[in-house]
Amino acid sequence: MAVPTDRCDAAAFEHLLLEAARAVQRREISAETVLVDVFNINRALKFIDAVWQASGIELDVNSFYLWPTFRDLAGAMADGSYRNVPKRIPIRQGTASETLVVFAGGASCFLEMKDFVKALAFDGTVYGMALTPFGRPASTPAVIADEVAACLAELDTSGIVPPYRFVGYSFGGLVALELSRALAARGVGADFLALVDSPQSEHAWPLRIWLDFAAGRLLSRGGQAPATAAEEPAGEASQVRLGGGRLAKLRRTLRRLAFRFLSPKMETYPTFVPQWLGGYPPAYDLAARQLLRMKGLFRPSRYEGPLVFYRTEGGSPVDCDPKLIWEPYLPAAEWVDVSGNHQTITIGRHARALAADVSRRLAAMKKA
């Protein structure tokens, strides 16, 4: 699929994109196929990696919302405009003046929220607020306050006016919460704020809660931590496998327990995070490392404003019950238990159920 980058035109890029997509999707795709309809987040990341490997061009994870078809995206690659991905991305155009801003989890890929957004009964425009690539070194990393400042600047120039409506999924909920706090300090605030299964880093959990979680996790697995690639830094997984037996199990257990006591400013910190997989293209790798440090450095504080916290019934294997760690800080929160787990809450029927509840609340807010 390699394309000579010294003589690329839109047709060559279109061919490259279609070949990469067919390899990932294993089905026939045309140049006019709408990318958002074709890709979920996992296939999108594989597609982006395939394009990067073949051409040296790394597409942004939210390119699909800006250049809807393979032909559109090929044209953007040919003229270089693929680099111009804004912070505020239109996810779904509306017919009314109202707006809803969503904050994705992970490295801010809004494809993971597409089922939820599609199911919303909301007449206004839905925007996604992407994370800013600050590009700072590990020793002086960006923190959530920096991201909030960037979001405020974007809101100030966007033309979006109150009432502000925010929905933040996973890590995106931390940004939405702190942005709402910053707006409240301005005397504005968020009229609607929903956090969807948003975690805190285990660094911030009270010690008793962490000890209970760690003990329960180890006991449920017969005294050993899970041996998943997500918990091994690049280059070490094979060494652990070669060690074998009890020594390897003990090493994995100690490694998992040690994570709470690591500094997010440590160079290799992201590779210790349970969700880390590695092997990402360069820009995505930097984005993932940045958000993991942000999450690790975040410490919650009391937020007095109203909000809805959607807690999944299935939870997450690497996080404790969010109510245990958030309730003291969110005195005005309404807690709503929803079906699914942390990974499935924005997919399929679980996403539709979540969207139905959010839609009902947005409609009630509009009537009021």
Side-chain angles (χ1 to χ4, degrees):
M1 292 188 297
V3 174
T5 55
D6 60 340
R7 56 182 180 82
C8 285
D9 56 19
F13 279 126
E14 184 178 304
H15 176 74
L16 167 66
L17 294 178
L18 289 173
E19 288 297 306
R22 286 164 184 159
V24 171
Q25 296 292 98
R26 299 186 183 278
R27 70 180 188 183
E28 191 59 30
I29 294 172
S30 76
E32 297 302 328
T33 298
V34 177
L35 288 95
V36 173
D37 292 342
V38 171
F39 289 118
N40 60 25
I41 182 171
N42 292 325
R43 289 177 179 173
L45 292 177
K46 291 179 181 178
F47 170 74
I48 288 171
D49 184 67
V51 172
W52 174 66
Q53 295 285 352
S55 67
I57 291 176
E58 184 179 351
L59 299 169
D60 187 274
V61 292
N62 294 312
S63 300
F64 312 120
Y65 287 101
L66 302 167
W67 298 281
T69 69
F70 289 99
R71 182 156 293 160
D72 294 331
L73 188 55
M77 292 170 71
D79 64 21
S81 60
Y82 75 93
R83 303 183 186 91
N84 304 325
V85 177
K87 182 166 183 59
R88 178 175 48 88
I89 298 167
I91 302 298
R92 196 184 80 180
Q93 294 292 342
T95 57
S97 60
E98 291 85 1
T99 59
L100 173 69
V101 182
V102 298
F103 301 79
S108 205
C109 181
F110 296 105
L111 278 175
E112 70 180 356
M113 300 183 75
K114 72 173 186 175
D115 288 355
F116 165 74
V117 171
K118 183 179 180 180
L120 280 172
F122 179 69
D123 294 333
T125 296
V126 180
Y127 292 103
M129 191 73 81
L131 294 174
T132 302
F134 292 100
R136 297 180 187 172
S139 58
T140 56
V143 295
I144 286 183
D146 297 312
E147 177 57 34
V148 168
C151 292
L152 286 172
E154 179 63 31
L155 286 178
D156 288 343
T157 60
S158 67
I160 296 176
V161 297
Y164 293 120
R165 307 169 184 85
F166 300 146
V167 175
Y169 165 59
S170 192
F171 177 81
L174 304 185
V175 179
L177 174 66
E178 295 306 308
L179 178 58
S180 299
R181 187 195 307 278
L183 287 169
R186 289 183 169 188
V188 182
D191 289 78
F192 179 78
L193 172 61
L195 309 188
V196 182
D197 223 34
S198 293
Q200 297 173 23
S201 167
E202 62 187 73
H203 303 308
W205 301 357
L207 181 59
R208 179 187 57 79
I209 291 175
W210 179 80
L211 288 172
D212 288 346
F213 180 83
R217 190 167 188 247
L218 294 177
L219 289 173
S220 69
R221 296 180 178 274
Q224 60 176 295
T228 63
E231 297 192 11
E232 306 294 349
E236 288 196 15
S238 60
Q239 295 174 24
V240 172
R241 285 194 293 270
L242 289 173
R246 294 181 180 177
L247 181 61
K249 293 177 181 178
L250 176 61
R251 184 178 179 183
R252 288 193 295 268
T253 299
L254 293 176
R255 179 184 180 82
R256 182 67 188 91
L257 293 175
F259 174 67
R260 176 183 168 91
F261 306 100
L262 298 180
S263 168
K265 297 182 180 181
M266 187 176 72
E267 187 65 40
T268 57
Y269 171 83
T271 66
F272 284 80
V273 178
Q275 296 91 337
W276 181 259
L277 292 174
Y280 308 118
Y284 192 88
D285 182 88
L286 290 174
R289 290 173 185 270
Q290 173 182 281
L291 82 87
L292 291 173
R293 295 187 200 282
M294 277 187 175
K295 179 182 173 183
L297 290 166
F298 175 75
R299 297 295 180 270
S301 57
R302 190 176 175 89
Y303 178 77
E304 301 287 350
L307 63 93
V308 184
F309 198 114
Y310 292 99
R311 179 178 63 169
T312 60
E313 294 173 348
S316 164
V318 296
D319 288 303
C320 70
D321 179 352
K323 197 169 186 180
L324 292 176
I325 54 177
W326 277 113
E327 196 167 34
Y329 299 103
L330 305 175
E334 179 183 350
W335 291 85
V336 179
D337 289 339
V338 290
S339 62
N341 59 39
H342 189 77
Q343 287 73 35
T344 63
I345 183 58
T346 59
I347 300 172
R349 61 186 178 87
H350 301 306
R352 292 191 291 273
L354 175 64
D357 192 81
V358 170
S359 299
R360 176 181 62 80
R361 294 171 186 275
L362 291 175
M365 181 183 118
K366 186 175 181 180
K367 289 179 180 178

